[in-house]
Amino acid sequence: MRPVRSFHVRPSLPERIRALDELAYNLRWSWDHETIALFRRLDRDLWETCGHNPVLLLGSAPQARLDEAAQDEAFLAHLDRCAAALRDYAAGESTWHRRTYGPCATPSVAYFSMEFGLTECLPIYSGGLGILAGDHLKSASELGVPLVGVGLLYQKGYFRQYLTAEGWQQERYPVNDFSVMPVRPVHDAAGNPVRIGVDVGGRTVVVRAWRADVGRVALLLLDSNVPENPADLQDTTDELYGGDGDLRLRQELVLGIGGVRVLRALGLAPRVFHMNEGHCAFLGLERARLLMREKGLAFREALEAVAASGVFTTHTPVPAGIDRFPADLVEKHCAGLRGEIGLARDEFLDLGRVRPGDAAEPFNMAVLAIRTAGYVNGVSRLHGAVSRAMWNPMWPGVPEDEVPIGHVTNGIHPQSWISEDVRYLYDRYLGPRWAEEPGDTRVWARCEQIPGEELWRTHERRRERLVAFARRRLAAQLHARGAGMAEIAAADEVLDPEALTIGFGRRFATYKRATLLMRDPERLDRILNAPGKPVQILYAGKAHPKDEPGKALIREIVQLARRPEFRRRIVFLEDYDQVIARYLVQGVDVWLNTPLRPQEASGTSGMKAAFNGALNLSVLDGWWAEACSTRTGWAVGRGEDYRDRDLQDRIEAGALYDLLENEVVPLFYRRGPDHLPRGWIERMKSAMTDLCPVFNTNRMVHAYVVEAYCQARERLDRLEEREYRRAKALAAWKARVRQAWAGVRVSRVEVDLPAETIVGREFEIRAWVRAPGLAPEDLSVQAVLGPLHESREIVDPETWPMKAGGPLSGEETPFRARVPCRRSGTHGVTVRVLPRHEDLARPQETGLIAWAE
C-alpha cells in the first residue's frame, strides 16, 4: 500500500545524553576508539546489528535503555569525555596547517571524488579509490587543511555480495535510508533546503545536497532522488558504477557541474579544485563557464585560470580503465554547456581527445581532467612513470620522462585501520606523537623498543579474533545458502588460531590474479598442510557485476576450498567491506598481493596490514615497488616484464611457492626456547619502523598541500591580477606561439669538442634558430647532454640554457652555451627549443618542442 504522506521519526534523547547526537553525526567517531567504545557500551549487540551505525543505534535503542543511560554515572562520564574531546578537536587551534599557513575562515580546497569510503554505515564506495578518498578527508581533518569534499549520495550505493552453492557471485542492492545514516540535508543561509539544477541533454536534473561531517572537514553529497525529477532522472544517483554509458555520463555531469553549483549556493569559493580521478572533470568546464559569464573572459582565457588552480590525480594505469564516451552521446548531453562556453562541436570534443582532430577517438574524461589541471600526478613512483608513458602522446615530441605528470604515493589513515590492541601498544612505547605526527621517522624508530613478547602476544590475540570472526561469517554464509546442519557445524573447525595466516582482500579484477597461488594445487597442498607448519589463507573481494572472468576467479577459489585437503585451510569471506577488511589487515601474518605489473597503480591494503604488524609478500608493483626491502617483507620476482602472460604466471607462481617454502614459512616457525619467532618479530618491527612514517595519508596530504595546493593557489592569484589581465595575456601568448611554432627550426649546431675529452672540461655549443614571428624572450633554447644508450638515444639527460646572440627577425639567430663534461663514457649532445613564459607552470605543458635534426 502507498502512503498518503511520509515523515521521519527522530530518537527522543534525554537532555543529559543529547551530546550522543552530536557525536553520531560527526564521522570522527569512525577512527576514535573511545567514541566507538561509548556507542558499543550503550548496547553492544545492537551496535553490531545496526552495522556500526550510531545514528541507527540511537533510533533503534529502546527508550528505557536511553533513559537508563541518562542516569548511569559511569556512562555519563564516558560521554562527557568524548563530547569534550570532539569540541576541542573541532576547534583545531594547533593544527599543522594553522601553524604553518595561519587561520582560514572557509575551505580553500574542494576535493571531488565519485566515491568516498569513510565507514561501512555510509556505503557510497566500491574499493580502493573510495577508501583512499575517505582517508584523504580524514587526514585533511587531522592536519587542519581547509578542505571540503564533494561526491554523490547513492540511493543503493555499491552492491552487496552473496555466493550461490556453486560459488558464483550474486548481487543485491539494498536501498539506503538517508534518515538513519550519518548525513543531514544542507540548508542555505535562509534555512531553505539547497537545490540546484544541472542540464543533461536539454532536461534539468534537480539535485539536493546532504552533508557528512568528517572531523573538521565537511563532505557535500549530491542526490537526484527528489520528486521534482521524472523517474529516469531520479535514478541518476541510484547506483555507484551501475547502468550504461548514458547514466554514467549523467552522473559525471551532476558530480562535476552540480558540485561546483552546490558550493556556490552555500557561498563557498574554493581556490583549488582537486579531481580524484577523471569522473568529475566537467567541473573545469563549469568553472570556465562561470568566469566567462561573470568576468567577461573568452573560453581560452578562462581555461588558463581554471587549469592553474586545478589538480588531477589519476589512479588508472591502463587506458581501458578510464571512462570514455562516444561523441554522439557527449553531444546529446553536453550541447547546452558547449553552447554556453562558445565552442563548436569538434572543439568541445577535442578537449577530451588525446589527438585533437581525430574524429574516431572517443571523449576521454582523464584527458579532459589533464587539460583542465595544472598539476597532474599518479599515485606511486612507478605509476607516475607508467602514466607519463601512457599519456606521452598528448605531448608529442616531449621526452617521456619530461611529460608533466608527477607522483604522490598513496597512504592510509592509521587510526582508521589499526586495532585497538596495536593502538595501546603504540601509545605505550611510541607516545602520542605517532598519531599526531605519523610522518615523524624518529617516533617510529621507537618500535625497536617494543618488547618482542608483548608485540607477539598482541598480534596473536588479533589472529585469534580473526579466526573466530571468519568462523562466524562462514557459518552465516552457509546458513544463508541453505546448507545442512553438519556443514554449518563444521565451520567451527576451519582455520587454526596458531597457524601462519595469509590474507588476500581486494577487488576481483583478473589482473590482480587472485588465483595465482592456486596454479599448482598439489604443491599448495604440501605448503598448507606441512606437518607441524600449517598455513592458511583467507580470501575476500568482489567482482564487478559485469565482470564474468572476475566472478569465475571467485568460484575457482570457493571450489578449491571445498576439497578435503583445503577445507580447513582456505576460506572465502563473502561481501567484502570495511568490517572484513579491518579484521583481515589486523589479524593476518602475511598480506599477499599478486597483480600483473605494472597494472596496480598503488594499492593500500598492504599498508594497512603493515601498520598492524603484518608482513607483505607482493609483486613489485604500485607502492611495494618503492617500499620493499629485506627488512620489510618479500618480493615476488624482480620487476621483470613479460610478453607471454602464461609464462609470467608460471614463473611468478613458482617464485611465490619458493618464497613460502624456503623463507616465509621457515621464518615464522623458527622458534627459540621461549617459543617466540624472534626473527619474524624483528622483521615486524623493521617493517613498522620503515613503512609507517612514509605510507600514511598525513604524509600524503602534506605533500599535496606543499606540492600542489599552495602552488595552484599562487598561480591563480597571479593570473587573477588586474581583472585577469595575466590570464588574458597568457592565453593570447599561447595562441600566438602555437600559430608561429610550425616555423621554428634549429637550422644548424656547432660543437667545439674533440672526439675524446676528459671529465670536468667545458666545451662551447652554438645553435642557429629560426623563429619567424617570435621574440627571443618567447623561447627557451637548451643544450641537452647525456650518455648514449645502445640505441644511440640520449638517456638520463642534463639541460643547459643557451643565450641568444642577437635579435630574431625571421633570419637565423645564434644561441650559445658553455657545457661541462660531468661523467665519463660515450655521450651525445643536441639542442632543443621550447616556449618560454613567466606564467607557464612548466615549459613542457604546451606540448610544443623543436629539436635539432
Side-chain angles (χ1 to χ4, degrees):
M1 65 186 73
R2 295 186 62 83
V4 295
R5 183 183 172 191
S6 62
F7 55 93
H8 301 304
V9 178
R10 295 180 59 82
S12 177
L13 296 178
E15 182 65 30
R16 185 62 181 85
I17 60 171
R18 195 66 58 83
L20 284 171
D21 192 65
E22 178 187 5
L23 291 168
Y25 277 97
N26 192 309
L27 291 170
R28 178 177 174 269
W29 63 259
S30 68
W31 71 88
D32 182 65
H33 291 273
E34 188 75 8
T35 308
I36 292 173
L38 175 70
F39 287 119
R40 188 180 286 122
R41 182 174 189 164
L42 187 65
D43 192 320
R44 179 178 294 273
D45 293 336
L46 190 57
W47 173 253
E48 298 298 331
T49 303
C50 291
H52 303 168
N53 180 348
V55 176
L56 182 57
L57 172 74
L58 296 179
S60 303
Q63 190 63 45
R65 176 63 189 118
L66 297 176
D67 293 339
E68 178 187 348
Q71 303 298 321
D72 184 336
E73 291 300 326
F75 181 86
L76 293 176
H78 192 170
L79 170 60
D80 291 343
R81 288 197 307 273
C82 292
L86 177 59
R87 286 192 293 271
D88 291 343
Y89 180 88
E93 295 296 334
S94 61
T95 65
W96 167 79
H97 193 277
R98 187 184 183 95
R99 294 194 310 268
T100 307
Y101 300 103
C104 187
T106 59
S108 62
V109 179
Y111 182 88
F112 281 64
S113 182
M114 194 76 163
E115 49 176 302
F116 286 90
L118 292 157
T119 171
E120 57 269 23
C121 70
L122 189 57
I124 55 172
Y125 64 96
S126 72
L129 178 71
I131 297 297
L132 185 279
D135 283 7
H136 191 113
L137 296 195
K138 292 173 183 177
S139 278
S141 171
E142 304 277 64
L143 295 172
V145 178
L147 180 147
V148 58
V150 182
L152 300 180
L153 187 60
Y154 301 99
Q155 192 67 50
K156 296 178 182 177
Y158 206 52
F159 70 91
R160 305 299 299 270
Q161 177 198 60
Y162 66 97
L163 303 182
T164 67
E166 293 298 311
W168 286 107
Q169 173 181 292
Q170 301 294 304
E171 300 87 29
R172 58 187 178 88
Y173 294 86
V175 176
N176 290 325
D177 182 356
F178 301 153
S179 69
V180 293
M181 293 168 62
V183 295
R184 284 173 165 154
V186 176
H187 296 82
D188 60 23
N192 301 311
V194 170
R195 296 279 199 278
I196 55 96
V198 178
D199 176 76
V200 288
R203 298 195 298 164
T204 298
V205 180
V206 177
V207 177
R208 63 181 168 182
W210 300 76
R211 172 177 173 141
D213 287 307
V214 187
R216 303 178 180 105
V217 167
L219 170 60
L220 303 177
L221 298 167
L222 312 185
D223 165 29
S224 66
N225 188 17
V226 295
E228 296 95 312
N229 288 324
D232 63 322
L233 295 187
Q234 287 184 19
D235 290 343
T236 299
T237 58
D238 191 37
E239 296 176 17
L240 172 60
Y241 303 138
D244 55 12
D246 185 275
L247 176 62
R248 180 70 69 85
L249 184 54
R250 266 193 282 139
Q251 285 184 336
E252 297 184 5
L253 285 163
V254 166
L255 175 59
I257 296 174
V260 173
R261 292 180 182 178
V262 162
L263 290 170
R264 287 173 63 85
L266 295 173
L268 301 178
R271 306 289 291 162
V272 178
F273 285 75
H274 187 165
M275 296 172 278
N276 190 43
E277 259 306 343
H279 309 113
C280 50
F282 286 117
L283 72 84
L285 301 185
E286 172 65 6
R287 295 179 62 210
R289 184 190 70 83
L290 292 170
L291 286 173
M292 294 169 69
R293 188 185 71 184
E294 297 170 2
K295 302 297 182 181
L297 303 183
F299 174 71
R300 295 294 170 183
E301 296 168 346
L303 194 60
E304 292 299 335
V306 167
S309 54
V311 175
F312 171 49
T313 297
T314 173
H315 295 255
T316 310
V318 291
I322 296 168
D323 282 347
R324 294 176 292 177
F325 299 107
D328 289 344
L329 185 63
V330 174
E331 174 65 10
K332 170 188 172 183
H333 284 298
C334 302
L337 173 62
R338 177 177 63 75
E340 288 193 71
I341 60 179
L343 296 183
R345 182 179 186 273
D346 283 336
E347 285 181 300
F348 187 90
L349 292 171
D350 280 349
L351 293 171
R353 288 170 172 160
V354 174
R355 298 174 180 83
D358 183 354
E361 187 179 335
F363 189 88
N364 187 311
M365 293 300 291
V367 172
L368 176 61
I370 290 171
R371 291 220 163 93
T372 54
Y375 181 89
V376 182
N377 70 280
V379 289
S380 69
R381 184 185 299 137
L382 177 59
H383 181 234
V386 169
S387 298
R388 287 189 289 276
M390 186 166 74
W391 298 115
N392 201 166
M394 291 185 66
W395 293 271
V398 174
E400 184 178 297
D401 59 356
E402 292 186 39
V403 167
I405 298 177
H407 80 275
V408 176
T409 301
N410 282 346
I412 62 115
H413 182 248
Q415 295 188 78
S416 293
W417 297 104
I418 63 168
S419 69
E420 191 168 9
D421 305 279
V422 170
R423 179 176 69 88
Y424 286 141
L425 206 60
Y426 288 162
D427 286 345
R428 186 176 304 119
Y429 294 101
L430 274 60
R433 287 187 58 218
W434 77 266
E436 297 165 1
E437 299 181 43
D440 191 331
T441 57
R442 295 169 299 177
V443 172
W444 292 99
R446 298 175 193 155
C447 285
E448 298 296 337
Q449 300 174 14
I450 301 174
E453 299 86 348
E454 194 168 354
L455 176 59
W456 188 245
R457 300 308 175 210
T458 298
H459 181 67
E460 285 193 311
R461 284 196 300 273
R462 294 310 313 173
R463 191 190 317 115
E464 291 167 0
R465 290 172 188 170
L466 169 60
V467 168
F469 170 79
R471 289 171 175 173
R472 292 195 304 270
R473 290 294 290 245
L474 181 59
Q477 291 171 197
L478 293 170
H479 183 269
R481 288 183 211 155
M485 294 301 296
E487 188 177 1
I488 295 174
D492 285 338
E493 299 177 359
V494 302
L495 305 176
D496 179 346
E498 296 183 354
L500 171 61
T501 303
I502 299 173
F504 183 101
R506 54 190 30 88
R507 185 165 52 91
F508 266 67
T510 52
Y511 80 87
K512 293 179 182 287
R513 298 191 297 179
T515 57
L516 185 67
L517 190 57
M518 299 177 175
R519 188 177 176 92
D520 186 342
E522 288 72 25
R523 192 171 181 186
L524 181 62
D525 177 23
R526 293 197 299 271
I527 294 172
L528 269 54
N529 291 297
K533 297 180 180 180
V535 179
Q536 57 201 15
I537 313 169
L538 286 95
Y539 285 93
K542 298 177 180 179
H544 188 279
K546 297 180 181 179
D547 184 2
E548 294 303 323
K551 292 181 179 181
L553 294 178
I554 294 175
R555 180 178 180 274
E556 183 179 343
I557 292 171
V558 172
Q559 292 289 335
L560 190 76
R562 290 177 177 169
R563 288 170 48 166
E565 64 270 33
F566 297 124
R567 191 177 299 276
R568 295 187 65 242
R569 297 285 180 243
I570 299 176
V571 171
F572 185 92
L573 298 174
E574 295 178 16
D575 203 24
Y576 188 44
D577 63 1
Q578 290 194 53
V579 176
I580 293 178
R582 280 195 294 270
Y583 270 101
L584 283 176
V585 299
Q586 292 171 8
V588 299
D589 301 293
V590 173
W591 192 258
L592 179 65
N593 191 26
T594 52
L596 271 172
R597 176 186 161 100
Q599 295 187 35
E600 183 83 278
S602 174
T604 57
S605 55
M607 302 175 191
K608 302 177 181 81
F611 268 89
N612 284 283
L615 301 178
N616 277 266
L617 172 58
S618 174
V619 170
L620 288 171
D621 199 7
W623 79 287
W624 193 237
E626 60 195 88
C628 182
S629 74
T630 55
R631 287 170 48 87
T632 58
W634 297 272
V636 180
R638 298 182 180 179
E640 301 90 345
D641 293 323
Y642 298 84
R643 294 185 178 180
D644 185 326
R645 166 68 186 274
D646 185 68
L647 175 64
Q648 180 174 2
D649 286 355
R650 180 156 46 87
I651 291 174
E652 293 185 346
L656 180 54
Y657 292 134
D658 288 344
L659 281 170
L660 288 170
E661 289 174 330
N662 301 324
E663 296 189 37
V664 179
V665 176
L667 183 64
F668 182 86
Y669 284 107
R670 189 176 300 134
R671 309 294 171 100
D674 56 4
H675 303 293
L676 294 177
R678 291 289 179 179
W680 189 277
I681 293 170
E682 287 307 309
R683 191 168 291 205
M684 289 172 67
K685 292 182 181 181
S686 297
M688 291 188 291
T689 299
D690 293 357
L691 302 181
C692 292
V694 179
F695 298 100
N696 64 79
T697 41
N698 280 35
R699 183 272 312 157
M700 181 192 80
V701 172
H702 181 281
Y704 277 117
V705 171
V706 174
E707 299 173 20
Y709 299 163
C710 287
Q711 294 185 31
R713 188 167 59 241
E714 290 169 4
R715 287 197 299 270
L716 180 61
D717 290 344
R718 192 164 59 244
L719 293 183
E720 285 181 339
E721 289 176 6
R722 300 172 65 184
E723 294 297 311
Y724 292 88
R725 182 173 177 176
R726 295 179 78 113
K728 295 175 183 178
L730 180 58
W733 176 84
K734 281 186 176 180
R736 179 169 60 84
V737 169
R738 285 196 172 97
Q739 185 175 11
W741 199 258
V744 176
R745 294 283 187 278
V746 180
S747 303
R748 56 195 173 102
V749 176
E750 292 182 357
V751 181
D752 291 338
L753 189 67
E756 186 172 295
T757 186
I758 61 174
V759 173
R761 180 167 294 174
E762 289 188 346
F763 65 92
E764 183 172 84
I765 179 169
R766 296 180 295 277
W768 282 261
V769 176
R770 291 178 57 88
L774 298 178
E777 56 267 25
D778 294 326
L779 305 176
S780 174
V781 182
Q782 300 172 343
V784 182
L785 173 71
L788 281 184
H789 187 259
E790 59 186 18
S791 63
R792 306 303 293 173
E793 295 282 335
I794 296 174
V795 295
D796 192 20
E798 295 179 277
T799 59
W800 297 85
M802 302 181 71
K803 294 183 179 180
L808 287 170
S809 59
E811 301 297 327
E812 294 180 348
T813 300
F815 288 78
R816 67 183 63 221
R818 291 197 63 78
V819 179
C821 295
R822 294 178 180 269
R823 292 172 286 181
S824 61
T826 303
H827 287 65
V829 65
T830 188
V831 172
R832 68 183 186 184
V833 185
L834 297 97
R836 180 174 62 187
H837 191 281
E838 62 180 342
D839 287 329
L840 284 179
R842 299 184 190 180
Q844 291 87 351
E845 73 179 62
T846 63
L848 302 175
I849 189 168
W851 291 88
E853 297 180 359

